[in-house]
């Protein structure tokens, strides 16, 4: 049985984002212990100083505009504490995590996974 719980992002946690709407094949970058890939149409997100990309479809499904260039995550996530270190394959690449960090899913069935450090997750999210 899964220990996943439903969470929502706190209202006080907007992000600044811009869509990579350029004539480009995309780009790769190193983050979270792995190589990440930004595809044309994905979003470049600044989440309180932590900058990363989000898949175009995921961003459209989970975020809504809060003002010029700012967005809030409006859909819930399902998360569980990782009992040991590991790696999760995301839409953008691979993310490494440590024991005690959170494995987070945009879909209740475990789809669209990613990982967030324990302190960051607990600052940004609350139980639904």
């Amino acid at each position: 049985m899964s220990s996943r719980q439903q969470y929502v992002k706190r209202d006080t946690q907007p992000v600044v984002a811009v869509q990579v709407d350029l004539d480009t094949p995309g780009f790769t970058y190193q983050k979270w212990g792995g190589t990440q890939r930004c595809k044309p149409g994905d979003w470049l997100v600044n989440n309180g100083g932590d900058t990363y990309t989000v898949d175009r479809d995921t961003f459209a499904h989970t975020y809504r505009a809060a003002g010029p260039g700012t967005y809030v995550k409006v859909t819930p996530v399902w998360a569980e504490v990782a009992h040991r270190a590991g790696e999760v394959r995301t839409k953008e690449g691979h993310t490494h995590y440590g024991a005690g960090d959170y494995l987070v899913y945009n879909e209740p069935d475990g789809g669209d996974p990613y990982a967030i450090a324990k302190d960051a997750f607990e600052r940004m999210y609350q139980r639904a």
Side-chain angles (χ1 to χ4, degrees):
M1 180 172 181
S2 174
S3 59
R4 272 183 219 138
Q5 302 290 321
Q6 189 176 29
Y7 293 83
V8 292
K9 196 153 187 200
R10 297 178 194 276
D11 293 340
T12 58
Q13 297 294 314
V15 299
V16 176
V18 63
Q19 190 170 27
V20 181
D21 193 16
L22 302 169
D23 184 11
T24 177
F27 59 88
T28 60
Y29 60 100
Q30 298 297 307
K31 187 138 182 117
W32 304 304
T35 300
Q36 311 303 315
R37 173 139 177 83
C38 177
K39 305 172 299 301
D42 287 354
W43 288 77
L44 184 60
V45 174
N46 181 318
N47 186 358
D50 187 17
T51 303
Y52 50 88
T53 59
V54 175
D55 174 80
R56 167 201 316 229
D57 294 335
T58 296
F59 194 90
H61 172 72
T62 61
Y63 283 86
R64 296 295 174 264
T70 60
Y71 298 84
V72 292
K73 188 162 189 169
V74 295
T75 58
V77 298
W78 291 262
E80 60 192 321
V81 175
H83 297 292
R84 62 181 179 271
E87 175 184 272
V88 63
R89 173 131 177 87
T90 69
K91 288 184 176 181
E92 296 78 21
H94 290 89
T95 297
H96 295 260
Y97 56 87
D101 289 344
Y102 281 80
L103 298 174
V104 185
Y105 309 88
N106 281 318
E107 304 296 334
D109 65 358
D112 196 6
Y114 55 101
I116 300 178
K118 176 183 168 62
D119 59 336
F121 182 84
E122 291 176 352
R123 179 178 23 76
M124 291 186 295
Y125 286 88
Q126 63 190 14
R127 289 277 308 270

